[in-house]
Amino acid sequence: MSLPTTRELLARMHARQLSFTEVTEQHLQRIACHNASVNAVVTLNREQALQQALELDRTLDREHLPALAGLPITVKDAFATAGLRTTASHPPLAGYVPAQDATLVARLRQAGAVLLGKTNLPQLAGYPHCNSPLFGPTRNPWNPALTSGGSSGGSAAAVAMGFSCLDLGSDIGGSIRIPAAFCGVAALKATENRLPRTGHIPHLPDGRRSVRHCLSFGLLARDVDSLQLGFGQLLGPDGLDVEVPPLASLQPAPPEGNLRIAWWDDFDGLPLCQRTRAALQRSVTALQEQGFTVGRCKPPSFDFDAAWRAYGAIAGGEIGLGMPGTERWLLSVAGRFLPRSQRLGRYFTQGLRSGLHHYNQALNLREQLIHELEGFLSQWDAWICPVAPTVAYPHTAKPWSALTVDRQRLPYLEATVSMTIPFS
């Protein structure tokens, strides 16, 4: 069944061609009929959603409704939702009900969006596949034997299935981008510190914040236009997350014309599966046929291994601060026995035990890499790269296993997050 776009749905509701209650009920019915097959929505907000839709139907002046009034949305279960269970798939939070919304949730509600429920994720958003100790795995909408990706796996599956028009996700190493690729939807990971993190788990409620870098937020939807509609409602500081600058609007779109688009497919020799490579080539060919300037290139001195090392030291060090001391020590010791082929695992576990000197070196390396990438992008309008070496894989795969990519065995992290981490 063909589903209307977000813009079409909003226009039809605001023109009274569809009632807000009718649209909410339709989406709740889709969840009731099909969620069991994918396990994307883990907490429903049925009564409150229908009540909000009914109140919108009673509104006489529809010309001055908020921008997203009546739009059915879901939210990753890592964001606090007032009066609605928020677990982050962390067993100690199984019964946690926040008193306040996360800032980004509050902004979507203020824009009139109707929150239908919360979507699944791995524990504390910590893995590139979606298998929750509380709710079980989220399956790929196109093939239930495969993963939906992670950590925003429930988010991607929900919008792919038409359960909602937008889902709010988070990303520290690929958690928005990988599920979007695996489930065939559009996604936007905003620039770090573009959106407030207030009310996102981790860090744990009432806990000390340790993650200071790489974490970002964004939206998943079925088309790019929906991302633009939603993203504009999220911008600006909230007075609590002091690292968000006072930028509350989108930059103007670049002029139409002969855009310059770079592309790349070689991440330090990592293989690409045939389907990923073919999809990349189709995109390149389509852009060339549209008359754009397209070239295969990367920043001349950009070092992917250096990006992985910097990420491992920063993310490992900061995430490790939020771990129990024994767990952090055990992981760091185990990392010493990883083979050299498991570079990402080694770099992350080294970060768990690194001192301030090593951590500061990684921050300086990160600045250098950002400078190189910004210089490169001053010459190009976009840089197209694969999201992951492989397409969606069986959801039974384990983080300590290996995946086959183009007839080569790749360690799990290299096969999943290796191509998103450099952009984190």
Side-chain angles (χ1 to χ4, degrees):
M1 180 180 70
S2 177
L3 298 172
T5 67
T6 296
R7 198 177 292 274
E8 290 169 347
L9 192 62
L10 286 169
R12 292 174 67 184
M13 287 189 292
H14 291 204
R16 300 181 186 273
Q17 297 172 1
L18 288 171
S19 75
F20 295 105
T21 302
E22 179 183 2
V23 169
T24 298
E25 288 178 337
Q26 286 174 349
H27 284 78
L28 287 170
Q29 183 63 27
R30 286 185 66 84
I31 295 172
C33 289
H34 302 293
N35 189 53
S37 66
V38 293
N39 192 34
V41 178
V42 295
T43 299
L44 267 181
N45 191 39
R46 180 181 178 83
E47 288 74 19
Q48 292 85 347
L50 288 170
Q51 180 62 35
Q52 182 183 349
L54 181 61
E55 291 171 0
L56 285 168
D57 279 324
R58 292 170 175 165
T59 302
L60 298 177
D61 181 9
R62 295 202 177 182
E63 291 185 5
H64 297 93
L65 286 171
L68 303 182
L71 188 72
I73 67 165
T74 46
V75 168
K76 184 179 182 178
D77 196 28
F79 291 91
T81 44
L84 187 64
R85 181 177 64 171
T86 300
T87 73
S89 282
H90 187 45
L93 296 179
Y96 174 57
V97 178
Q100 292 184 314
D101 283 331
T103 293
L104 299 182
V105 174
R107 288 178 176 175
L108 289 172
R109 291 202 209 241
Q110 290 162 7
V114 176
L115 176 61
L116 302 183
K118 310 291 288 293
T119 47
N120 202 13
L121 71 158
Q123 184 168 194
L124 296 176
Y127 299 95
H129 69 289
C130 190
N131 193 357
S132 165
L134 294 177
F135 308 112
T138 295
R139 298 173 179 84
N140 194 291
W142 302 95
N143 183 342
L146 305 180
T147 181
S148 61
S151 63
S152 306
S155 303
V159 295
M161 291 291 292
F163 296 164
S164 61
C165 295
L166 284 177
D167 191 286
L168 180 64
S170 54
D171 186 313
I172 194 170
S175 287
I176 287 175
R177 294 161 285 170
I178 292 169
F182 285 2
C183 294
V185 298
L188 172 65
K189 180 194 83 72
T191 302
E192 182 182 325
N193 293 326
R194 190 70 164 101
L195 303 176
R197 71 186 72 209
T198 310
H200 180 267
I201 303 170
H203 56 278
L204 293 174
D206 301 323
R208 293 183 178 181
R209 176 181 162 196
S210 63
V211 177
R212 298 275 172 180
H213 299 88
C214 303
L215 177 62
S216 190
F217 309 99
L219 294 168
L220 299 94
R222 288 188 297 279
D223 57 74
V224 173
D225 184 49
S226 300
L227 300 176
Q228 184 174 7
L229 282 171
F231 187 64
Q233 307 304 313
L234 300 176
L235 297 167
D238 65 352
L240 298 170
D241 186 347
V242 298
E243 295 179 2
V244 177
L247 301 172
S249 63
L250 292 170
Q251 296 295 321
E256 299 286 340
N258 185 27
L259 297 179
R260 294 174 51 81
I261 301 173
W263 65 279
W264 192 247
D265 58 354
D266 181 4
F267 283 59
D268 207 28
L270 289 176
L272 282 179
C273 75
Q274 292 182 1
R275 292 171 64 188
T276 299
R277 189 174 293 282
L280 178 62
Q281 190 56 58
R282 284 196 302 271
S283 298
V284 170
T285 300
L287 291 164
Q288 291 171 330
E289 291 174 349
Q290 290 293 317
F292 299 127
T293 299
V294 181
R296 180 183 182 271
C297 59
K298 72 177 184 74
S301 56
F302 194 85
D303 184 339
F304 289 106
D305 187 74
W308 296 329
R309 281 190 284 112
Y311 179 89
I314 296 166
E318 295 185 357
I319 293 172
L321 287 174
M323 291 180 177
T326 302
E327 180 182 347
R328 179 177 182 175
W329 179 80
L330 287 172
L331 278 175
S332 67
V333 171
R336 297 177 181 179
F337 298 96
L338 291 174
R340 292 190 177 276
S341 61
Q342 296 191 24
R343 286 185 285 178
L344 293 178
R346 288 170 61 89
Y347 293 152
F348 182 83
T349 54
Q350 287 170 8
L352 291 174
R353 61 179 186 270
S354 63
L356 284 175
H357 179 72
H358 182 63
Y359 174 76
N360 189 58
Q361 281 184 321
L363 289 175
N364 282 300
L365 178 54
R366 180 179 191 251
E367 287 185 354
Q368 176 187 331
L369 292 163
I370 291 173
H371 177 74
E372 292 173 6
L373 185 52
E374 292 289 352
F376 173 72
L377 289 173
S378 69
Q379 308 299 315
W380 298 89
D381 294 294
W383 190 22
I384 297 178
C385 301
V387 171
T390 181
V391 292
Y393 49 87
H395 68 74
T396 53
K398 305 299 182 185
W400 55 85
S401 64
L403 299 175
T404 300
V405 180
D406 195 28
R407 292 178 291 185
Q408 298 182 50
R409 296 289 284 172
L410 270 188
Y412 183 84
L413 291 179
E414 278 73 5
T416 54
V417 299
S418 57
M419 295 177 179
T420 48
I421 278 177
F423 305 103
S424 290

